[in-house]
């Protein structure tokens, strides 16, 4: 991604379907990276034909590299990635080039959701801001938008008279749809009680006070009926309208859930208190399967949110690792936990 950006010198915007918008782009002035040799700046010379690699703290030029070299190495690396049989493979050419440009790794470490810092020429705003962008690649296995943990467990109470045989059959099943068929056939149901982790519960309430109930309803659609696709699950709860909204003109469920997706993309994680201040101040960069690097600037919030909601799904992570998916008793009442994980479809 770094090589492609430096070769192009521009960061193009994407529409809601991840198509390149030729009319909207941000000219790259500098890219900032932390490397083993120190803090580096990748800037262009006056004619924008070469990339100057500068050590930031002393303004010392380390090496001057033609933009065309970045282009050829980026194309060759993309070809090798798409044709690779495994996630790791030796690539002497790119390794030698990275050494030449003082990069010890393809992705620089980041303490938050801001994976790269870029100074762009912002014609609309009339200044040249240094912005942080979060990066997601569609090369290889789809990445996770919201990571699972015991922090993302939602607890539900089993309603109706609970029979011990039903509990035994439910807990003995491995497929969640089969579990819930057993439960529903016995005239039992589930009712959302709480989110186990208080920090995550408060994060959701900060975004929207109805989000815990909305997500709980969506998780039921995912686990009980197999509706993992986000848009499909949203359509199902819209039809059922569990929060009794007036849906004549307002898309309450989709609108509120989009906010969760966007906040997750820009910095919100379940285990840390969220203040609403995005770490990725510029927005989101997506590396497409064809190697095209496109962005959703925060100016294009609508397209960004539409992309997220149409490109994600619920996952069912390990039940043993995250301690969910079995009926248990407390004070003569019965409960079950369901876990939230959101992954990109591609």
């Amino acid at each position: 991604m770094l090589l492609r950006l430096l070769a192009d010198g521009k960061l193009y915007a994407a529409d809601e379907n991840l198509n390149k918008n030729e009319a909207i782009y941000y000219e790259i002035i500098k890219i900032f990276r932390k490397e083993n040799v120190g803090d580096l700046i990748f800037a262009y010379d006056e004619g924008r034909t070469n990339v100057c690699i500068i050590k930031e703290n002393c303004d010392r030029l380390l090496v001057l590299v033609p933009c065309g070299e970045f282009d050829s190495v980026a194309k060759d690396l993309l070809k090798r990635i798409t044709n690779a049989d495994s996630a790791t493979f030796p690539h002497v050419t790119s390794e030698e080039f990275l050494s030449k440009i003082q990069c010890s790794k393809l992705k620089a470490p980041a303490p938050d959701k801001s994976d790269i810092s870029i100074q762009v020429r912002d014609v609309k705003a009339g200044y040249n801001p240094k912005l942080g962008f979060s990066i997601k690649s569609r090369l290889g296995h789809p990445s996770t938008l919201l990571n699972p943990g015991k922090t993302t467990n939602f607890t539900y109470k089993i309603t109706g008279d609970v029979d011990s045989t039903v509990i035994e059959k439910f807990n003995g099943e491995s497929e969640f749809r089969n579990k819930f068929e057993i439960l529903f056939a016995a005239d039992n149901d589930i009712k959302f009680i709480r989110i186990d982790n208080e920090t995550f519960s408060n994060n959701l309430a900060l975004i929207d006070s109805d989000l815990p109930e909305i997500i709980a309803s969506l998780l039921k659609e995912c686990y009980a009926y197999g509706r993992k696709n986000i848009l499909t699950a949203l359509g199902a709860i819209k039809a059922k309208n569990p929060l009794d909204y007036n849906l004549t003109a307002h898309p309450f469920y989709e609108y509120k859930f989009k906010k969760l997706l966007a906040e997750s993309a820009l910095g919100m994680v379940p285990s840390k208190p969220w203040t609403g201040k995005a770490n990725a101040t510029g927005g989101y960069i997506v590396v497409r399967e064809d190697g095209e690097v496109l962005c959703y600037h925060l100016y294009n919030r609508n397209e960004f949110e539409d992309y997220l909601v149409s490109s994600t799904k619920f996952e069912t992570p390990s039940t043993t690792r995250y301690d969910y998916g079995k009926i248990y008793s407390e004070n003569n009442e019965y409960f079950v936990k369901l876990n939230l994980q959101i992954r990109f479809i591609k």
Side-chain angles (χ1 to χ4, degrees):
M1 192 276 301
L2 173 70
L3 305 182
R4 183 74 270 149
L5 286 178
L6 289 170
D8 294 343
K10 295 177 181 178
L11 183 55
Y12 281 90
D15 65 14
E16 65 273 16
N17 298 312
L18 200 57
N19 296 315
K20 185 177 182 179
N21 187 335
E22 298 276 0
I24 302 176
Y25 66 87
Y26 309 94
E27 185 177 282
I28 296 171
I29 300 173
K30 298 176 181 177
I31 295 178
F32 302 82
R33 283 175 64 93
K34 293 184 180 298
E35 289 292 343
N36 292 339
V37 296
D39 294 345
L40 299 183
I41 300 174
F42 295 77
Y44 294 93
D45 62 7
E46 190 173 345
R48 293 184 68 84
T49 56
N50 298 291
V51 174
C52 310
I53 301 162
I54 303 163
K55 199 164 185 179
E56 186 172 8
N57 60 350
C58 61
D59 288 332
R60 180 165 62 91
L61 178 65
L62 299 178
V63 64
L64 189 71
V65 182
C67 295
E69 286 193 34
F70 285 92
D71 182 58
S72 60
V73 175
K75 287 177 179 176
D76 187 43
L77 183 59
L78 174 66
K79 186 184 297 184
R80 289 179 178 273
I81 290 173
T82 53
N83 293 329
D85 295 327
S86 64
T88 58
F89 57 92
H91 186 203
V92 175
T93 302
S94 62
E95 289 174 359
E96 290 178 349
F97 186 74
L98 287 173
S99 178
K100 175 181 177 179
I101 65 172
Q102 308 296 310
C103 285
S104 56
K105 53 191 79 68
L106 285 174
K107 181 180 177 182
D112 50 41
K113 291 263 180 141
S114 178
D115 296 312
I116 190 169
S117 294
I118 307 175
Q119 185 180 22
V120 298
R121 182 162 287 113
D122 193 330
V123 177
K124 184 180 291 187
Y127 73 117
N128 304 328
K130 180 181 176 181
L131 302 172
F133 289 86
S134 180
I135 300 169
K136 289 295 179 185
S137 175
R138 291 164 64 101
L139 296 169
H141 189 64
S143 54
T144 301
L145 178 61
L146 191 147
N147 290 316
K150 291 184 180 180
T151 51
T152 61
N153 277 339
F154 284 60
T155 296
Y156 302 74
K157 181 181 177 181
I158 309 296
T159 63
D161 295 328
V162 184
D163 186 273
S164 59
T165 305
V166 172
I167 297 173
E168 185 178 348
K169 288 181 178 179
F170 184 99
N171 290 345
E173 266 290 341
S174 57
E175 294 293 329
F176 274 97
R177 290 189 69 175
N178 294 340
K179 285 175 178 282
F180 280 95
E181 283 180 5
I182 293 166
L183 195 68
F184 297 154
D187 292 326
N188 296 120
D189 205 339
I190 60 173
K191 179 184 178 182
F192 173 60
I193 299 297
R194 65 179 179 274
I195 298 171
D196 288 7
N197 183 269
E198 185 178 7
T199 297
F200 186 39
S201 180
N202 287 336
N203 287 350
L204 295 180
L206 178 68
I207 299 168
D208 191 287
S209 59
D210 284 342
L211 262 177
E213 288 282 353
I214 290 172
I215 297 171
S217 296
L218 289 168
L219 286 178
K220 182 178 178 181
E221 295 298 323
C222 166
Y223 284 92
Y225 304 108
R227 297 185 177 109
K228 291 189 175 184
N229 181 279
I230 298 290
L231 284 176
T232 302
L234 282 168
I237 68 165
K238 179 181 177 182
K240 296 175 182 178
N241 196 11
L243 276 74
D244 199 29
Y245 292 131
N246 181 345
L247 299 174
T248 304
H250 295 88
F252 283 98
Y253 295 104
E254 184 173 330
Y255 177 86
K256 292 171 184 284
F257 195 72
K258 280 181 180 179
K259 301 307 170 189
L260 166 67
L261 298 178
E263 299 298 271
S264 298
L266 297 175
M268 193 279 290
V269 293
S271 59
K272 297 179 181 179
W274 175 241
T275 64
K277 293 182 179 180
N279 294 320
T281 53
Y284 216 65
I285 289 175
V286 182
V287 184
R288 285 194 330 203
E289 295 89 341
D290 61 359
E292 191 77 68
V293 179
L294 302 174
C295 85
Y296 291 99
H297 194 287
L298 293 186
Y299 293 146
N300 312 110
R301 182 87 180 201
N302 291 337
E303 290 85 353
F304 177 45
E305 291 180 357
D306 287 344
Y307 162 71
L308 290 175
V309 79
S310 64
S311 303
T312 48
K313 65 177 182 177
F314 294 111
E315 285 274 84
T316 53
S318 168
T319 55
T320 52
R321 183 175 181 182
Y322 301 118
D323 192 22
Y324 77 100
K326 289 186 181 294
I327 295 175
Y328 64 96
S329 64
E330 283 184 359
N331 299 321
N332 296 318
E333 294 183 315
Y334 295 91
F335 303 89
V336 66
K337 299 178 189 293
L338 301 179
N339 189 270
L340 174 65
Q341 179 184 11
I342 301 173
R343 185 182 293 279
F344 284 95
I345 294 170
K346 186 59 182 173

